[in-house]
Amino acid sequence: MKDTGVFCHTLIRSVEEMRERDAGLPVKRRVGPDGLHLFDRRTGLNVLLDEVDVPQAQWARAPRQVSIALTNACDLECPFCYAPKTAAVLDAARLCAWIDELDAEGCLGVGFGGGEPSLYRRLPQVCRHAAERTGLAVTMTTHAHRFTPQLVDALAGTVNFVRISVDGVGTTYETLRNRPFAELVQQLARIGEAFRFGINCVVNASTLPDLDAVADLAASTGAAELLLLPERPARGRLGSSPHIVTALHQWIAAYRGPIVLTLAEGDTGSLPTAQPLPGETGLRAYAHIDAAGTLRRTSYHQAGERVDDRGVIAALDRLQQKGAA
Ligand code: SF4
């Protein structure tokens, strides 16, 4: 790009102004160690201008993505659930202030979970706040069974992507989730009419044999991707054995269907994966806030920092310092 120098100069002088201008726009810009990152929350399109070199002092201070557990409440009792079972729920006003701060500090998206986020009373208001007052993409992970037509209407236009938990099909699903599989399929159709969506599948000895069927279901219902999550150790369960993880990786390597497969960072093993943003690792890339308002590296990490009146970035700095100590 011939004019890169001029463009960079303009960019460097106007990062603060750029952040202000971006509020409410669908295409958001983020600067960091890998360059200038453009993100369109409506489509999920990412563009990285890696020739843009911005001084470290102007890099985004917020993680690229933050997951937020709105509540620990859930009406299901999945055997592999790792969500805390103590009662906790986030205050909506504090939550909106954190969302504003994350947006201003260069975060690209928040992912609401729990517990079950559809049990959070102020969910439509919080999603509308994020959609109308910030440039953040809003995603949500749900079991889907509480998505009534009224809730779909209330969230339409404010949620950019819905992740639906589908662990196996037929009786496998019904045994694990204790809900009719036919009802889930109806919910996929209802949600798919209003939102871009993907399927999340916990992979363990029970669900591994169903992976072909889950991928077929994802394709036939119009899902954009299938996120494969090896079961984690939690509450007395050991999680997926190395044997199951190896079998999962073999299945992925052999898969030739149309659905985009995704894995969480740390679950990829020796599989060939793309690393588009190699400079953004750890807390630059991702953080989690639990339903008690504690910021952690991931929902699996024990160590955390309470998000108090000083805000999310202050808690992030304290957590970063702890990690460095
Ligand atoms: S739906 Fe999710 S939060 Fe609820 S019990 Fe199952 S795994 Fe846990």
Side-chain angles (χ1 to χ4, degrees):
M1 186 194 291
K2 220 174 164 188
D3 292 334
T4 298
V6 176
F7 176 56
C8 289
H9 182 62
T10 306
L11 175 81
I12 291 164
R13 281 176 38 201
S14 60
V15 166
E16 291 304 324
E17 180 195 340
M18 177 186 88
R19 285 179 182 153
E20 281 172 27
R21 282 204 317 261
D22 278 355
L25 293 179
V27 176
K28 188 159 187 190
R29 291 172 280 190
R30 171 182 169 91
V31 289
D34 298 305
L36 171 61
H37 183 168
L38 307 178
F39 175 63
D40 185 341
R41 64 181 179 179
R42 297 164 305 178
T43 61
L45 176 71
N46 288 273
V47 175
L48 179 68
L49 303 179
D50 60 0
E51 64 268 63
V52 177
D53 193 9
V54 183
Q56 183 166 357
Q58 299 196 23
W59 291 354
R61 294 169 71 206
R64 192 169 66 246
Q65 174 78 18
V66 175
S67 68
I68 303 176
L70 302 177
T71 172
N72 283 346
C74 186
D75 49 346
L76 300 193
E77 295 180 4
C78 308
F80 44 72
C81 182
Y82 62 83
K85 298 304 169 195
T86 48
V89 61
L90 291 177
D91 174 79
R94 284 178 74 206
L95 177 58
C96 287
W98 298 345
I99 287 171
D100 292 347
E101 183 188 4
L102 287 168
D103 181 54
E105 296 293 350
C107 182
L108 294 183
V110 287
F112 294 141
E116 170 53 41
S118 60
L119 282 164
Y120 186 69
R121 203 167 51 87
R122 305 291 300 277
L123 182 66
Q125 290 89 340
V126 170
C127 291
R128 185 156 300 283
H129 176 93
E132 293 180 351
R133 305 283 293 274
T134 79
L136 294 170
V138 175
T139 62
M140 186 175 304
T141 301
T142 173
H143 62 48
H145 291 282
R146 297 177 52 84
F147 268 65
T148 60
Q150 293 75 18
L151 182 60
V152 169
D153 284 350
L155 296 178
T158 68
V159 176
N160 301 101
F161 199 85
V162 180
R163 300 186 175 279
I164 303 169
S165 304
V166 181
D167 314 302
V169 299
T171 53
T172 308
Y173 177 87
E174 292 177 350
T175 303
L176 292 170
R177 297 262 165 186
N178 199 24
R179 286 288 189 279
F181 182 66
E183 185 182 300
L184 170 78
V185 174
Q186 285 174 359
Q187 291 298 87
L188 290 175
R190 174 179 289 164
I191 292 170
E193 283 177 8
F195 308 98
R196 293 179 67 239
F197 77 99
I199 284 179
N200 288 7
C201 181
V202 172
V203 180
N204 56 28
S206 303
T207 63
L208 183 71
D210 284 15
L211 285 183
D212 283 332
V214 173
D216 288 347
L217 177 71
S220 66
T221 53
E225 64 177 47
L226 171 57
L227 173 60
L228 297 161
L229 301 160
E231 184 183 336
R232 303 272 179 171
R235 297 192 295 143
R237 287 172 65 100
L238 297 176
S240 291
S241 67
H243 168 74
I244 296 293
V245 173
T246 301
L248 168 63
H249 288 180
Q250 288 170 345
W251 183 87
I252 291 170
Y255 180 72
R256 294 291 178 270
I259 284 290
V260 172
L261 304 180
T262 56
L263 285 163
E265 199 179 286
D267 285 338
T268 54
S270 60
L271 288 169
T273 54
Q275 293 284 0
L277 297 160
E280 283 199 337
T281 57
L283 287 170
R284 279 202 184 284
Y286 175 78
H288 174 75
I289 301 175
D290 69 20
T294 299
L295 181 99
R296 306 178 193 279
R297 289 179 181 273
T298 71
S299 55
Y300 307 113
H301 279 78
Q302 291 296 319
E305 281 291 324
R306 184 163 168 70
V307 184
D308 57 20
D309 292 346
R310 291 170 287 179
V312 181
I313 300 301
L316 192 81
D317 289 344
R318 295 196 301 277
L319 188 59
Q320 191 88 63
Q321 284 161 14
K322 260 188 184 173

